[in-house]
Amino acid sequence: MNSIENQTSVQKKIIEKYKELVKQDNNEDEVYKWEMVKEFQSKWDIDVEDFPAMIKSINFSNLMFHHSKKFIDISDNYSEDIRGMFKDLFNENKDLRERILGFQTRANELFAEHEPELKAQQDERAISTYLTFRYPEKYTFYKSSFYNKYTKLLGLKSHKTNEKFIHYLSLIDSLIEDYITKDEELLSISKSYLSSNCYDDSNYKILAQNILYRVFDNSDFIEEPNDSDHSSLTKAQVIHAFLFSGLSHRKIQSDILKEDAPARGGGFLTMKILHNYDIREDKKGVLKTNSLSNEKEVADGKYLEALKLLEKHYPELMYDKPNNGGKMNLSLNTIIYGPPGTGKTYRLKNEFFEKFTDKQAIQTKEEFCDELIQDLSWWQVISIVMLDLKEAKVQEIFDHPLLQAKVSVSENKSPKNTIWAWLQRHTKDDCPNVNFKKRDNPQFFSKDNKSTWTIDEEIAKIEIPDFYEILEKYQNFKPQTESKKRYVFTTFHQSFSYEDFIEGIKPKLMKNEEDLESQDISYHIENGIFKNIVNKAINDPDKDYAIFIDEINRGNIANIFGELITLIEEDKRKGCDNYIPAILPYSKTEFWVPKNLYIIGTMNTADRSVEALDNALRRRFSFLEMNPEPAKLSQEEFACEGVNLEKLLSAINNRIEKLLDKDYCIGHSYFMNIRDQKNPLEELKMIFSNRILPLLQEYFYGDWGKIMLVLGKGFIGKKVESVSFLATEDCQP
């Protein structure tokens, strides 16, 4: 059974179970929720003179924790502050995440003045209650335990704190649209228990919440272990999944039993798989087997299904190797340094890149949307959204996943205004409800007198046929397994700047997205490569991320890093004892470096074209030295007939180290690409002529006497020239 079929099955079972429960008791113990919403609607007045009395008269019952209600009790002392907080929370023109975080932050500040030892406890459950009371057509009551159960049953990953409620709302919307509105029996039952004292719940938001509450609160609703999850897998695939855990089966079994064996039978399922597939423990308790015979079968990636059996408890098993099973034995700030040709960049690519790559990551729909709109402008995304929705209001366009993806990568502060503007700019000339003067082709939008927008698909098929291809990709999205990079790579150079690395003001060679009347070049704040990877690391705190900087000493370090010189220190990062944030000069936003981001650079110690590494940065990095390894050249893969490359390189480097120092030695990689190992002479001549000699000329400033001391007389020829100068008595050569 695939993930979509599983979700469908789970949701149908939940609704059937709810109908069964409600038929027994007519939902008598739950009707109060609809009654309280209606009561709130009649009492709420944000501008009332006695605001504390009004808000204290509202009954929140058991819809939030007892400690959360204590915040309401301090309204006598902070009447206008709390009134302002609720105004901001209920301002639908602002981003929901910002409203929630703003409310929580201000509540904690006020409560700290009143009760210094306590917090305001304005969690997502409390805020969901406020929002549902005020806008029951948009929001519904939330409880984290039911959200976690629901995502688990659907096979989805729970979001982090302060993002769970928003994710929960999207799941509720899907449940309503795909199941509740289509179940006439369910709708009939729900109407039967709602009296005239109840909120009518025409959008079914409270009903959806009540369905999850009743079902998950009922101990009889248990998902039985599904043996089909692994019955179709080969022996090697299942064995592979367990072997890569690096854990004993008792550890796996105990963790699963401890959490939810009563509900899911996880411990039993684990033991059954271990037994059926002949997986045993060695003396140290590590899983072993004698049955792993088909290496190709194990390596072909088909074992992904088997890995999912343990994903819930050990997410790192989703990958070919447990890349993120713990912190690496590496400083967060590391510079790999050494002479040229020692394989510094090669090591980054072949060793470190792999540590920050999920080889079998499942692409989420959100990630797919980000990828889909990456190169699309605002009007293009809006047009594709309208092709999908057919007709919609601006809020519905804004809520569309593709539009949300565009918002997430944009610095636009007023995306809804931008949507309005682009819709009007591409509206038909004969539309009577739009007065926008400057319009662009293609013109295919229309707006009725209720502010509902539509798109003329006949025109769209002619003017933007390629948009239909993008829409088809979006509509046919299926989760794919792919390699997912958790790193970025860049190279420093003399013109690399703070604006490239952190953020800077860049020209925008297009119409202004927020002021479409203006045709002039506009400027916007654009994130640099480091800020982008920081944001990704912040949004995925359970995994390690990295930025790799080649030739880190070639850039102007003080100019590039700016205030980050302090922020990148391990103990100054978010969550550490000496955490320090900074305000960025352009965007005026708070910025910090998370502790799951590695900064790994390379440095060529022989590069005389730049100054030594900035001392302030040097103090904040650990250094990993890479020296020439002549012994590698004696390996069968690189050894050449008639020439002992190991001895040759060792002799050259011993002489260079005597004349200069070890920072100027020559790396082994210069001799590792000889193709004709039986007759290497011609290729060796080319290596010395084109690579070694120019390097030594730079080292010794063209002093051929010293170069001859390194390579010997056989490499140096004396050029005898007879030059006649035109001389006068006043000027002799």
Side-chain angles (χ1 to χ4, degrees), residues 658-673:
K658 192 71 173 177
L659 293 170
L660 295 171
D661 62 52
K662 68 175 184 176
D663 288 343
Y664 293 87
C665 289
I666 293 171
H668 48 275
S669 69
Y670 284 97
F671 299 95
M672 296 179 76
N673 295 315

Side-chain angles (χ1 to χ4, degrees), residues 70 185 225 229 247 264 353 480 482 503 555 610 667 719 724:
K70 288 187 176 181
E185 182 188 13
D229 283 346
L247 300 163
R264 300 292 300 276
F353 283 11
Q480 301 287 331
E482 59 175 19
E503 66 175 19
V610 292
K719 185 177 181 181
S724 298

Side-chain angles (χ1 to χ4, degrees), residues 239 243 277-282 286-291:
I239 290 170
L243 290 182
Y277 292 97
D278 190 29
I279 301 174
R280 308 176 186 281
E281 288 181 308
D282 64 10
V286 177
L287 298 174
K288 299 287 185 182
T289 184
N290 296 320
S291 303

